[in-house]
Amino acid sequence: MLKIVVCVSGGGTNLQAILDALEQNRITNTEIIAVISNNTKAKALERAASHNIPGIVLSPRSYPDRETFNEAFTAKICELAPDLVVLAGFLVRIPPRMVAEFSNRIINIHPSLIPSFCGVGYYGLKVHEKVLERGVKVTGATVHFVNEGMDEGPIIAQKAVYVEEGDTPEVLQRRVMEQAEWVLLPKAIDDIACGRITVVDNKAVFRQA
Ligand code: GRF
């Protein structure tokens, strides 16, 4: 059984996609042992509560400095001892020590086709604003392992989404979520739970187990 902790910051639609996939057996052999949010008001925490999943709030604002928060966050994750940490719309930088302790055991969903439109400052709606500003015709989402860089870890899977005439950032974000994020993240979790993903020479490799 793959024990996962899901980290969230906002609406939790990616968490909901995971919950739905668990219910529909599209994710197998997996248990969410906790949901952690940096935001007490995150709707994602309500989604966790409605499934009787423990919700934990850990906010940098509650600590005197980032280093102290990083230590507390890393200690909590180590205490929970998940097999996999899933960043689902989580807007806090992962502490280097946590990346080291959970090498290739932290995954993130990013709302673009990495290496485009990613890195510092590229999150949430901002990603789609930049996509429309640049005028690209195809965007999408990427699920990847988290390493010490920002959106630079081994890519597990990607899914393309067409930009359409008249798209606003909000309309495009919703399409990328529906057509890509909510498909990729549950599938990646099930692939990892079933041992179908390995990392070789810093590349994620899919093998039908
Ligand atoms: C969305 O912008 C999504 O693309 C990104 O995080 C944001 C919030 O997602 N992954 P969620 O609804 O909280 O899962």
Side-chain angles (χ1 to χ4, degrees):
M1 180 70 74
L2 188 78
K3 293 188 300 177
I4 70 174
V5 167
V6 184
C7 296
V8 297
S9 294
T13 65
N14 279 284
L15 170 63
Q16 191 61 53
I18 296 167
L19 293 166
D20 295 347
L22 279 164
E23 261 170 31
Q24 296 156 18
N25 241 349
R26 288 182 285 111
I27 295 179
T28 56
N29 193 30
T30 297
E31 178 194 359
I32 303 176
I33 58 175
V35 169
I36 291 179
S37 180
N38 61 305
N39 172 8
T40 50
K41 298 187 176 59
K43 187 166 184 297
L45 288 170
E46 294 168 29
R47 298 178 194 268
S50 67
H51 285 75
N52 300 316
I53 297 168
I56 300 162
V57 176
L58 269 172
S59 167
R61 293 198 191 129
S62 311
Y63 292 84
D65 53 53
R66 179 52 64 106
E67 187 47 43
T68 317
F69 165 77
N70 283 350
E71 282 164 19
F73 185 22
T74 303
K76 175 54 73 177
I77 293 283
C78 290
E79 177 197 324
L80 291 165
D83 301 302
L84 183 70
V85 179
V86 178
L87 309 183
F90 191 59
L91 300 179
V92 175
R93 187 78 190 255
I94 301 302
R97 194 160 79 75
M98 190 190 302
V99 172
E101 298 268 342
F102 288 83
S103 178
N104 292 328
R105 289 200 292 145
I106 306 171
I107 63 173
N108 179 51
I109 183 79
H110 181 77
S112 77
L113 294 175
I114 289 174
S116 300
F117 305 104
C118 66
V120 177
Y122 284 92
Y123 58 89
L125 214 50
K126 290 178 188 293
V127 172
H128 307 290
E129 287 167 357
K130 291 295 182 188
V131 162
L132 293 172
E133 196 178 296
R134 181 63 184 82
V136 298
K137 304 307 176 191
V138 177
T139 185
T142 303
V143 59
H144 63 94
F145 285 110
V146 172
N147 67 6
E148 59 289 337
M150 176 79 87
D151 302 328
E152 293 174 2
I155 291 173
I156 297 167
Q158 297 184 295
K159 196 166 186 299
V161 174
Y162 280 101
V163 179
E164 295 178 10
E165 275 310 305
D167 271 348
T168 63
E170 292 76 7
V171 167
L172 181 56
Q173 177 179 52
R174 183 76 191 185
R175 187 178 313 121
V176 169
M177 284 170 148
E178 286 174 348
Q179 294 184 8
E181 294 179 46
W182 300 345
V183 173
L184 287 172
L185 193 53
K187 171 93 174 44
I189 293 167
D190 190 51
D191 285 341
I192 292 167
C194 297
R196 292 191 284 262
I197 304 287
T198 52
V199 177
V200 179
D201 296 335
N202 208 31
K203 300 263 189 318
V205 177
F206 176 88
R207 284 197 184 91
Q208 193 63 35

